[in-house]
Amino acid sequence: MDEISMAMASMQLQQQVQLSVVSKAMDMQTQNADALIEAMNELPVAQDPTRGILFDQSV
């Protein structure tokens, strides 16, 4: 019976470690996404807001 409780404790510890790693990875992804959004907000905007919407092409 002691072996079963040790195995269960080991499995629970492994699950907690895996959840912790996944949580850290998700936090890093959130930080990276926030940094990307912030960087994109700092990009210069075209003077004419309609520029780049339509274009004419001639051959």
Side-chain angles (χ1 to χ4, degrees):
M1 193 65 137
D2 213 20
E3 294 174 5
I4 294 174
S5 65
M6 289 289 288
M8 285 182 59
S10 176
M11 287 175 50
Q12 287 175 341
L13 178 62
Q14 184 179 9
Q15 185 179 26
Q16 288 173 349
V17 169
Q18 288 173 344
L19 287 174
S20 178
V21 169
V22 169
S23 177
K24 284 283 188 188
M26 289 174 64
D27 290 344
M28 289 297 295
Q29 289 294 335
T30 301
Q31 289 175 358
N32 289 342
D34 290 343
L36 178 61
I37 291 169
E38 187 175 322
M40 290 177 68
N41 285 335
E42 295 174 3
L43 291 175
V45 179
Q47 296 293 339
D48 182 7
T50 61
R51 180 174 289 170
I53 294 175
L54 300 174
F55 64 93
D56 295 329
Q57 179 180 7
S58 60
V59 179

